[in-house]
Amino acid sequence: MIKIFVNQIGYGTKGLKIAYATGLTGSAESEESFSLLKNESVVFTGKLVLQKEVDRLYNEPVYTADFSEYEPDQVDSNEDVYKIKIENHDESAESYAFKIGDRVFDDIYFSTLNYFYLSRCGEEINGGEWSHKACHTGIAEIYDPESGEKKTKNVQGGWHDAGDYGRYVVAGSKAAMDLLLAYENTKGKWNRFDILKEVRFELEWMLQMQREDGAVYHKISCYHFCPFILPEDEKDVLVLSPVSTAATADFAGCLAYASVVFTDSDPDFSKKLLEAAKKAYSFIENNDVIWYKNPPEITTGGYGDWNVMDECYFAASALFAATKDYSYVEKAVGHKKQSLSIPVDPAKPWMRTWSESFGWGSVAGYGTEILLKQGNALSTNLIKELKESVVQTADTIMEVIQKAAFKTALTKVFWGSNGHACDLAHILLLAYDVTGEEKYFSGAKNQLDYVLGCNPMDVCYVTGEGSNFVKNPHHRPSGAINKTMPGMLSGGPCEDLLDETAKRMLQGQPPLKCFADHRGSYSTNEIAIYWNSTLVHLLARVCF
């Protein structure tokens, strides 16, 4: 059976436009063709190209349908609908409908941003059917059983992290950074959502997570995950987990960079952020590394880290951008060298000593991107080294894309694979910035197409968007009222089958089809602020 896969939101007027097809049989590749329909009339035809290799992640032949040459003669109206059609012997198939135009991504950009407002903790939310009362307003216990003294702290605000209601500094820092970078790219071009106001809400919470000595508590949550209830109905005791170097460094980097962004709009807030960032970094310099592992009494998300030098590099890089004190550059370089000296564990090849990455656990990419923004303030040799590192990483990613089914950048499909695909696109966009080479921009666009419908599940992984979207995410507010909050990026396929639902439903499936649109499958269908944020950043860069 022929199946056609498209970006269900649409494609820009200019630039890359690719769809995919499977299930074609019985004729030579050169004879396979496709048609682009506009309101049921053919406006473009082209040849289908068979991928040269069968990809392990999908394990079936895949054809590409490239219609990048097509550009509408005039601005389409909102009623204009496009489809891809393929006729193969006695069988024909059409894709889901999509749009082509310069502003087709405006609504999904708003939806993915509005998710952050709807995920606010500690205040009443006015969001239609997603309105909720102020939640988690109790005073938190500070976890410190060794002291024998029960201490408390009032911490309010922040975004609910994922399908649960915890709030985690390492995750929140990454999400805030993505939104800040998105804001810088779309300011003056798009104004339907106040990104800075939303980021400030998270930053105000983060400030409360800092101790007097500069250290930052790793997270605030209840001791255990709650059932699928509304946020205001979770009444269990709140607990502040111990401080960690990872949280403190991420805090320092995020707040230092935010201080630069807020300089013009709110200089007093900018100064407050910078002072807190300096204080956090000072703690790191004057104390041994504090690794985070959940205490036995706490079973919510851990967000532990095996190497914190990338976090320290990010912090020092951002502090240089904020202060122009060159000693921070020297410290950043020192953190990188220290990371490179850590032996690689052959049993865990994914734990590389250094990577220009943008995930919550590997944030060196933010440090490098920040340093590259400083231009002539850095030495020519350092700029050259940074650019070479970015391009080397990006070229490795491009090698994967060129051979991959659906042109994904993924080599292993693990928990949160959709967010990881968007993070890999971030690296490609950084390579595009430093080289100007269009191939990197196109590679990033391929990842956006993948999560919005060009995938073997034939699904738009953003809730409420496209013709066939995720409907049963692992998300407590959605589960509580049995409706699906819009604008959330599902974590996506996970070949390890980590939850019981996945094990029951997905045995024997190729990696890219290890996805269950089922509330119980947290390892394939949970949502998270740092997956949404990286999609927001990708939309901001590719679509505006």
Side-chain angles (χ1 to χ4, degrees), residues 305-516:
D305 206 334
W306 69 279
N307 176 10
V308 296
M309 291 304 101
D310 53 293
E311 282 81 9
C312 295
Y313 168 79
F314 164 42
S317 301
L319 280 162
F320 171 68
T323 65
K324 300 301 183 282
D325 180 347
Y326 202 83
S327 69
Y328 283 117
V329 175
E330 296 167 347
K331 293 169 183 176
V333 172
H335 292 311
K336 181 177 181 178
K337 289 180 178 177
Q338 188 174 350
S339 179
L340 289 169
S341 70
I342 299 173
V344 177
D345 183 352
K348 300 177 180 178
W350 60 90
M351 291 184 171
R352 292 169 289 178
T353 57
W354 188 260
S355 174
E356 301 293 354
S357 302
F358 291 92
W360 66 260
S362 185
V363 296
Y366 294 106
T368 297
E369 182 165 6
I370 290 167
L371 289 178
L372 285 169
K373 289 175 179 283
Q374 308 314 306
N376 295 332
L378 301 179
S379 70
T380 302
N381 286 340
L382 180 56
I383 289 292
K384 182 173 180 290
E385 179 185 331
L386 293 171
K387 288 182 176 180
E388 287 176 348
S389 180
V390 169
V391 172
Q392 182 179 13
T393 305
D395 283 344
T396 301
I397 297 169
M398 288 301 300
E399 289 176 6
V400 175
I401 292 173
Q402 288 162 8
K403 298 178 181 179
F406 302 94
K407 298 191 184 297
T408 67
L410 302 169
T411 54
K412 179 174 173 59
V413 184
F414 52 77
W415 194 343
S417 61
N418 284 340
H420 184 54
C422 296
D423 282 332
L424 292 171
H426 195 154
I427 300 171
L428 296 176
L429 290 166
L430 190 54
Y432 172 72
D433 291 340
V434 302
T435 67
E437 294 186 32
E438 192 67 30
K439 65 180 181 180
Y440 299 119
F441 190 89
S442 295
K445 176 63 165 59
N446 291 144
Q447 309 317 300
L448 181 64
D449 289 343
Y450 169 78
V451 299
L452 299 184
C454 291
N455 57 70
M457 297 305 300
D458 201 17
V459 63
C460 177
Y461 282 115
V462 179
T463 57
E465 298 289 343
S467 300
N468 182 35
F469 53 82
V470 171
K471 298 174 179 65
N472 301 290
H474 183 87
H475 177 242
R476 277 163 177 75
S478 297
I481 67 170
N482 202 30
K483 291 186 178 180
T484 305
M485 183 184 288
M488 303 186 296
L489 176 64
S490 167
C494 176
E495 63 183 286
D496 293 326
L497 307 185
L498 297 175
D499 60 73
E500 292 305 315
T501 300
K503 291 174 183 177
R504 184 178 72 252
M505 298 178 64
L506 303 174
Q507 292 290 343
Q509 292 293 333
L512 288 183
K513 295 194 77 172
C514 288
F515 172 76

